[in-house]
């Protein structure tokens, strides 16, 4: 089965939309469901319908996913935990077919929820792990969740690319996720 990962449009309602699909993306068992791309990767019109170019791009990514079969993998975020030590840094671990690419460090698609006083200050790729992201926050706090691509566009992908007949470059963008931030080893 090939599908698009529907991320929802409203960040407040995205959790319910994302939870089941994310579970299928990482804990897929034998059902052989492949997510070709997250929905945030495609342009929509004022009625929230994919544009003509977006529908073409969706078809092209679906064909690419079909051609690769079980080898196709959009980057999937698995774990968010505080880094050990004093700095308020969250390490987000992913699984992808290669090193992650952060397209715009100022518009990454990550957001925090649970304590409005804690904000994201920077997002960067980890030097010690090509499939990890480090998110520096204004402070550490218990009970936070980290979301990616939840009701918003994302800026995290792997290096795979394909030229679309629409003229756009297509990428394998990371799937949306909402992760509780764990304590880490000695956080």
């Amino acid at each position: 089965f090939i599908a698009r990962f529907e991320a929802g449009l409203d960040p407040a309602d995205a959790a319910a939309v994302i939870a089941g699909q994310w579970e299928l993306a990482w804990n897929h068992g034998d059902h052989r469901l492949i997510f070709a791309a997250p929905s945030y990767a495609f342009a929509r019109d004022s009625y929230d319908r994919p544009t003509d170019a977006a529908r073409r791009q969706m078809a092209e990514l679906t064909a690419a996913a079909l051609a690769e079969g079980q080898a196709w993998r959009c980057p999937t975020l698995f774990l968010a935990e505080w880094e050990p030590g004093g700095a308020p840094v969250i390490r987000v671990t992913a699984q992808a077919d290669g090193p992650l690419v952060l397209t715009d460090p100022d518009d990454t698609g990550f957001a925090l929820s649970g304590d409005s006083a804690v904000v994201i200050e920077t997002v960067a790729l980890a030097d010690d792990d090509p499939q990890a992201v480090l998110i520096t926050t204004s402070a550490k706090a218990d009970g936070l969740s980290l979301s990616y691509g939840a009701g918003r566009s994302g800026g995290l992908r792997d290096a795979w690319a394909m030229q679309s007949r629409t003229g756009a470059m297509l990428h394998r963008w990371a799937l949306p996720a909402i992760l509780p931030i764990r304590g880490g080893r000695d956080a």
Side-chain angles (χ1 to χ4, degrees), residues 108-186:
T108 61
F110 286 99
L112 291 171
S113 60
D115 184 340
S116 60
V118 180
V119 295
I120 293 174
E121 293 181 345
T122 63
V123 177
L125 298 175
D127 290 334
D128 62 341
D129 183 349
Q131 294 188 9
V133 178
L134 300 177
I135 300 173
T136 304
T137 64
S138 58
K140 283 186 177 181
D142 292 331
L144 292 178
S145 291
L146 179 73
S147 65
Y148 170 78
R152 62 178 45 135
S153 293
L156 187 66
R157 60 178 174 81
D158 64 14
W160 183 92
M162 179 178 87
Q163 183 70 45
S164 169
R165 289 190 182 179
T166 65
M169 188 62 71
L170 301 178
H171 298 285
R172 201 163 35 197
W173 295 98
L175 299 178
I178 300 173
L179 305 170
I181 300 171
R182 306 287 181 202
R185 292 181 291 279
D186 63 4

Side-chain angles (χ1 to χ4, degrees), residues 4 42-45 47-55 58:
R4 262 184 327 281
F42 304 104
R44 296 181 180 264
D45 66 17
Y47 297 104
D48 191 37
R49 293 181 299 223
T51 63
D52 289 341
R55 286 194 300 277
M58 290 174 185

Side-chain angles (χ1 to χ4, degrees), residues 90-104:
I90 303 164
R91 178 178 288 265
V92 182
T93 305
Q95 183 177 30
D97 277 342
L100 295 175
V101 175
L102 190 59
T103 58
D104 182 355

Side-chain angles (χ1 to χ4, degrees), residues 25-88:
W26 79 267
N27 188 16
H28 50 75
D30 292 333
H31 60 65
R32 297 180 5 194
L33 172 65
I34 299 169
F35 285 107
S39 61
Y40 71 73
F42 304 104
R44 296 181 180 264
D45 66 17
S46 60
Y47 297 104
D48 191 37
R49 293 181 299 223
T51 63
D52 289 341
R55 286 194 300 277
R56 173 66 179 216
Q57 293 164 4
M58 290 174 185
E60 290 170 335
L61 279 170
T62 298
L66 277 169
E68 286 200 35
Q70 291 297 93
W72 182 267
R73 180 187 318 243
C74 291
T76 305
L77 306 177
F78 286 102
L79 178 66
E81 60 183 347
W82 292 110
E83 282 281 86

